[in-house]
Amino acid sequence: MPLHREDCNRAILVSVGRFNPKVNLNGRPGVHRDEKKLHRALKKLGFSVDIHRDLSSEEIYQLFMEESRRPVKDCFLAVLSSHGEEGCIFGDDGKPVQLSHIFRYFDNKYMEKKVKLFFIQACRGYALDDGVEVDSGHIAEENFSPCLAVPIDTAVMYATAPGYAAFMHPFGSVFLQTFCTLLEEDDNRNLELTRLLTRLCHRVAYTFQARGRDHGGKKQMPCLLSRLTREVYPFAEAGKDTSDLELSKTAKICSETVRKRMPSVS
């Protein structure tokens, strides 16, 4: 018998890969690779997964306002993948979606005591690339810090640090592809969440190196913002005794060779 949605952990994948031709934002051909791998990995872990492509800014706001009021078992996970700047991503209409507004939707009675996870695959600045120009008139003033907007029992994992660009490749983003790879490995998905995300930071930082004339040698470092009040194991196998889970040897996370890829930026 299939599980009802209120009996499931839920995941929402929002990807903007194509923009209105009138908007000065480049396409992002790797988003479908990320969607496919995320869908497969999360479904195997018991998540109900919905994919939403190329939404406008208002459609993204509406989607998350509705999702924040829907039942969930223990964990709600959202992936937002688009071009962005600090504090926002862009809809396919080129208008900003303020992340602080999205986070605030989940500070309600429906999501109380539920774990909320947000993965943001987007630039937070242009420290590595100035090839994507955004009309500054589109960026609304946002005086409310995204940090202050994050509800209790929420973790936000950014693909990159404030002020820096996030790499995107036609084969997918290094950030989300690496996250999925970790979920496919037993000794990683059974880790407590902050340990898992620390391992994600390590693997992206130490096993990825861009190449090419403009980006050769550049690196990427994800960034975690957490307001979790307890240890959580959202990806652990059902029935697994998480109290005895330990980090495996450091050599395990250092074993991959450095990958070199020709990137663009999110």
Side-chain angles (χ1 to χ4, degrees):
M1 178 181 296
L3 292 173
H4 296 292
R5 296 227 170 199
E6 59 267 25
D7 296 325
C8 289
N9 292 329
R10 293 194 291 109
I12 300 296
L13 314 181
V14 176
S15 299
V16 183
R18 294 185 299 176
F19 294 83
N20 187 301
K22 297 180 180 179
V23 174
N24 189 26
L25 290 170
N26 297 330
R28 305 172 65 245
V31 295
H32 297 316
R33 297 274 188 143
D34 285 345
E35 289 173 355
K36 184 177 180 179
K37 195 164 185 178
L38 282 163
H39 185 273
R40 181 173 63 247
L42 292 170
K43 288 286 285 186
K44 286 183 178 179
L45 296 174
F47 280 76
S48 168
V49 184
D50 290 325
I51 297 174
H52 301 268
R53 299 186 179 102
D54 301 332
L55 302 182
S56 69
S57 57
E58 286 302 318
E59 288 172 333
I60 294 173
Y61 281 131
Q62 183 66 30
L63 172 66
F64 280 100
M65 184 172 63
E66 293 172 357
E67 290 295 332
S68 70
R69 291 165 170 77
R70 294 179 56 194
V72 63
K73 183 182 178 183
D74 299 308
C75 176
F76 174 84
L77 184 152
V79 176
L80 295 96
S81 177
S82 183
H83 287 302
E85 287 199 346
E86 180 57 33
C88 73
I89 65 164
F90 294 95
D92 72 350
D93 53 1
K95 295 181 180 179
V97 175
Q98 299 295 340
L99 295 174
S100 60
H101 293 182
I102 300 296
F103 300 153
R104 281 198 295 254
Y105 288 148
F106 291 81
D107 189 9
N108 62 41
K109 63 181 181 180
Y110 304 100
M111 289 289 167
E112 187 177 5
K113 298 182 180 179
K114 308 295 184 181
V115 176
K116 283 88 59 183
L117 307 179
F118 294 88
F119 291 82
I120 313 298
Q121 170 58 40
C123 292
R124 304 178 72 184
Y126 300 97
L128 297 181
D129 179 45
D130 58 4
V132 178
E133 297 181 2
V134 180
D135 181 354
S136 61
H138 286 168
I139 304 174
E141 291 287 337
E142 180 57 53
N143 296 320
F144 198 87
S145 167
C147 299
L148 298 177
V150 174
I152 296 296
D153 293 323
T154 301
V156 183
M157 192 69 176
Y158 294 93
T160 191
Y164 285 84
F167 288 106
M168 172 61 76
H169 186 273
F171 291 131
S173 65
V174 60
F175 172 61
L176 293 177
Q177 291 288 317
T178 303
F179 173 57
C180 291
T181 298
L182 290 175
L183 292 183
E184 292 168 352
E185 299 170 356
D186 291 343
D187 59 337
N188 288 314
R189 65 171 173 264
N190 289 320
L191 291 174
E192 192 276 327
L193 179 65
T194 57
R195 288 184 168 186
L196 172 66
L197 298 183
T198 299
R199 187 162 290 188
L200 173 58
C201 289
H202 184 285
R203 192 167 290 188
V204 171
Y206 286 97
T207 69
F208 169 76
Q209 180 175 300
R211 66 178 183 178
R213 184 179 62 184
D214 297 326
H215 302 100
K218 298 296 185 181
K219 307 285 283 185
Q220 182 174 323
M221 179 65 188
C223 182
L224 172 64
L225 169 61
S226 173
R227 295 198 72 196
L228 296 173
T229 60
R230 62 188 188 275
E231 293 186 344
V232 296
Y233 298 81
F235 309 113
E237 300 173 37
K240 188 79 172 182
D241 182 6
T242 56
S243 62
D244 294 325
L245 288 173
E246 296 291 340
L247 280 171
S248 58
K249 296 180 180 179
T250 304
K252 178 65 177 178
I253 60 176
C254 299
S255 61
E256 293 189 357
T257 57
V258 174
R259 294 176 294 163
K260 294 185 177 181
R261 304 166 70 184
M262 182 75 75
S264 62
V265 294
S266 265

